[in-house]
Amino acid sequence: MSKIKPSQGAPYARIMGVGGYRPTRVVPNEVILETIDSSDEWIRSRSGIATRHWASEEETVAAMSVEASGKAIADAGITPEQIGAVIVSTVSHFKQTPAIATEIAHKVGTGRPAAFDISAGCAGFGYGLTLAKGMVVEGSAEYVLVIGVERLSDLTDKEDRATAFLFGDGAGAVIVGPSKVPAIGPTVWGSEGDKSETIKQTVAWDEFHAERPEKFPAITQEGQAVFRWAVFEMAKVAQQALDAAGISPEDLDVFIPHQANMRIIDSMVKTLKLPENVIVARDVETTGNTSAASIPLAMERLLATGQAKSGDTALVIGFGAGLVYAATVVTLP
């Protein structure tokens, strides 16, 4: 018989508060056209993107995260000292160690929480949310701060016609805490490593260090391959998440997919046969693709504008480099 004392966590977990931060500089397509041979019409038709935000030197990964976290903490109605863990999903923090989560935890004003980074690309928020749910239910933390943050302008090849217009910067954060009723459904997540070359960094850090190529490492992708995978495979994953939560598309109030591309979003809506009354996040038009930050930023905007409301049932799904994915059904804070 085991002598280990059983965990004493909450019966369930929920998102209690959400916050977002978008850099002050708004970059229209006209700026992108200064370095690539394209047109505003082509960019909009291919991606749905009209503008994106690019961070200034002062708007660091940590600074944006602290701003978003402060809003999420206030929205949740807790104090920073109550946070037992900080999870940061990002691919644009350039120090291998220490984790940026430790710096953010300190600047937010927490005590001595567990703090770590995860690298799961555009699915990172879903991965962090799932880890946070487990912590709350298991009892290792009562409240968990989950952050998705990116400065993808640092990793964008401004002369790459296929990707220069896609990426933006920003941070989104949520507080996950205890709940008496189910409010975060089972996560359907996974990876397809055989497709890892479709979205990748152009030069590995060790190669960059050894060879010092003229161009700094950037993110590149095989657009058509990613589009087909996202539309056909991720719609299946989204449906699996609905099934795991025991609901149908008709039960949904809101759909918040990763803000990768408007065409992908619209195709997923069609494939899932979502009813017309379901609110669909289309934050990509003015924010661009912010990878791990895109879902919490879109969630925050929907709630702030009144398009979605507290208590709504939402399907969230992230997918990207790896290729990795994560989908779950949540109750909005």
Side-chain angles (χ1 to χ4, degrees), residues 32-33 35-39 42-44 46-49 52 155-167 198-200 202 215 218-227 260-261 263-264 289:
I32 307 300
L33 297 176
T35 52
I36 62 171
D37 179 18
S38 187
S39 68
W42 186 88
I43 293 173
R44 288 174 185 259
R46 298 282 297 199
S47 68
I49 299 172
R52 73 285 293 146
L155 287 168
T156 299
D157 182 348
K158 306 300 194 300
E159 297 177 352
D160 180 8
R161 188 172 185 270
T163 61
F165 59 89
L166 285 175
F167 303 117
T198 56
I199 306 176
K200 64 180 181 179
T202 52
K215 282 193 173 183
I219 296 174
T220 184
Q221 70 175 28
E222 297 175 17
Q224 286 302 314
V226 173
F227 180 86
N261 179 306
R263 291 171 62 205
I264 291 175
N289 179 343

Side-chain angles (χ1 to χ4, degrees), residues 45-319:
S45 65
R46 298 282 297 199
S47 68
I49 299 172
T51 62
R52 73 285 293 146
H53 295 256
W54 282 355
S56 66
E57 186 176 343
E58 292 76 24
E59 290 168 318
T60 63
V61 167
M64 292 190 294
S65 297
V66 170
E67 290 291 330
S69 298
K71 295 176 183 178
I73 292 168
D75 193 40
I78 66 169
T79 65
E81 294 81 7
Q82 291 176 275
I83 294 171
V86 177
I87 304 171
V88 177
S89 178
T90 185
V91 298
S92 45
H93 169 53
F94 292 154
K95 287 185 179 178
Q96 197 73 29
T97 191
I100 193 65
T102 58
E103 178 183 341
I104 294 167
H106 173 68
K107 290 183 175 179
V108 166
T110 61
R112 298 173 63 183
F116 58 95
D117 299 350
I118 59 175
S119 177
C122 305
F125 176 74
Y127 276 52
L129 185 65
T130 303
L131 293 172
K133 172 188 173 183
M135 290 178 177
V136 172
V137 173
E138 187 268 342
S140 60
E142 185 175 12
Y143 301 102
V144 181
L145 172 59
V146 180
I147 302 166
V149 57
E150 301 293 1
R151 268 182 57 122
L152 293 178
S153 57
D154 293 335
L155 287 168
T156 299
D157 182 348
K158 306 300 194 300
E159 297 177 352
D160 180 8
R161 188 172 185 270
T163 61
F165 59 89
L166 285 175
F167 303 117
D169 303 336
V174 300
I175 297 293
V176 177
S179 175
K180 294 181 180 179
V181 297
I184 301 176
T187 299
V188 178
W189 57 355
S191 65
E192 296 184 33
D194 60 315
K195 300 179 179 67
S196 62
E197 292 295 301
T198 56
I199 306 176
K200 64 180 181 179
Q201 183 171 307
T202 52
V203 180
W205 292 120
D206 57 344
E207 295 174 11
F208 180 78
H209 178 72
E211 299 178 12
R212 302 283 177 172
E214 292 182 6
K215 282 193 173 183
F216 191 74
I219 296 174
T220 184
Q221 70 175 28
E222 297 175 17
Q224 286 302 314
V226 173
F227 180 86
R228 289 192 296 271
W229 176 77
V231 170
F232 297 109
E233 297 302 323
M234 291 306 97
K236 298 175 186 177
V237 172
Q239 184 60 57
Q240 290 170 12
L242 291 174
D243 295 342
I247 68 172
S248 67
E250 289 72 27
D251 297 317
L252 277 181
D253 299 304
V254 185
F255 178 43
I256 311 178
H258 164 49
Q259 301 294 293
N261 179 306
M262 194 75 78
R263 291 171 62 205
I264 291 175
I265 294 171
D266 290 340
S267 294
M268 291 183 70
V269 169
K270 184 177 180 180
T271 302
L272 286 167
K273 298 180 181 179
L274 296 184
E276 290 186 4
N277 64 297
V278 174
I279 300 299
V280 179
R282 292 188 171 89
D283 193 44
V284 66
E285 180 180 4
T286 56
T287 306
N289 179 343
T290 56
S291 190
S294 78
I295 291 175
L297 278 174
M299 182 185 296
E300 185 263 349
R301 175 162 281 174
L302 288 176
L303 289 167
T305 58
Q307 293 176 267
K309 62 184 184 300
S310 174
D312 279 352
T313 300
L315 169 63
V316 299
I317 178 169
F319 45 86

